[in-house]
Amino acid sequence: EEEAATFKLEASLQALGKDSKRLTADFVAFSGELQKTTTIADDAAIAMFQMATSRGLEEDSAKRAIKNAIGMQAAFGMNAQAALRMTSALEQGNASMLQRFFPTLRTIKDESKKVAEAQRLLAGTFKVAEAEVKTFAGFSKQLGNVIGDSFEGIGAVIAKGVRPVLE
């Protein structure tokens, strides 16, 4: 799954005319760090980067949107696509979708202040994602991610050996 997600990310970045090799390496490394500190699998984070960049987010904005989306998943039990849709919109200056999760945003009339407050609130949700790994369920999920990475490594070695025979 990681190979497919990485391939799609790189292809998406190329289509956007970005420095795909550098950005892919950066996003994959960041995804690995997210896997170490949360229960999100690195291949899921890489897929989120592909979605974020397809929505027009640049490096730092994409990273922040993904961290915020992971926080929303942990704090509100939502799926990755819905969370990323909201956090991507926030990165583009639109906090309106987040008002149902953070009702206090409705009282802020100035859009730039609303966006800043939404970012502050979402940073708190990422702490929930980080705390989740301290539970047995979180530890089990992280362990599953590590085991999955091991199988991906074994599969890559096998594929490399078999590919010349098939060609």
Side-chain angles (χ1 to χ4, degrees):
E1 290 181 27
E2 183 177 343
E3 179 188 29
T6 303
F7 180 79
K8 287 170 98 175
L9 171 62
E10 190 168 350
S12 178
L13 291 166
Q14 283 175 346
L16 294 168
K18 304 291 182 188
D19 183 356
S20 60
K21 294 287 185 203
R22 180 185 65 78
L23 288 173
T24 298
D26 181 38
F27 290 157
V28 167
F30 191 79
S31 296
E33 290 303 311
L34 289 171
Q35 179 172 286
K36 289 176 188 173
T37 60
T38 69
T39 61
I40 189 107
D42 58 350
D43 53 335
I46 293 167
M48 291 173 80
F49 271 112
Q50 186 269 319
M51 289 184 277
T53 56
S54 293
R55 287 189 164 104
L57 299 184
E58 299 290 331
E59 291 175 68
D60 291 338
S61 296
K63 289 177 181 178
R64 190 171 41 246
I66 288 163
K67 281 182 75 172
N68 287 342
I70 291 168
M72 289 191 76
Q73 285 179 272
F76 302 113
M78 45 187 335
N79 71 49
Q81 292 82 7
L84 188 58
R85 188 177 316 112
M86 291 180 204
T87 61
S88 293
L90 179 64
E91 289 300 320
Q92 295 167 332
N94 182 348
S96 63
M97 287 191 276
L98 294 167
Q99 291 179 140
R100 72 180 239 228
F101 294 95
F102 304 107
T104 58
L105 295 176
R106 293 183 189 128
T107 64
I108 303 171
K109 301 302 175 206
D110 180 274
E111 280 302 312
S112 62
K113 288 180 182 177
K114 187 180 289 193
V115 167
E117 178 62 6
Q119 290 287 8
R120 187 188 72 73
L121 292 167
L122 285 169
T125 66
F126 188 74
K127 291 179 182 178
V128 174
E130 290 176 315
E132 193 174 28
V133 300
K134 295 175 182 161
T135 68
F136 180 74
F139 171 77
S140 297
K141 202 167 186 184
Q142 269 194 321
L143 181 60
N145 291 339
V146 170
I147 292 169
D149 285 349
S150 298
F151 282 122
E152 288 169 3
I154 292 167
V157 170
I158 292 170
K160 189 175 182 180
V162 171
R163 186 166 286 145
V165 174
L166 296 175
E167 293 174 348

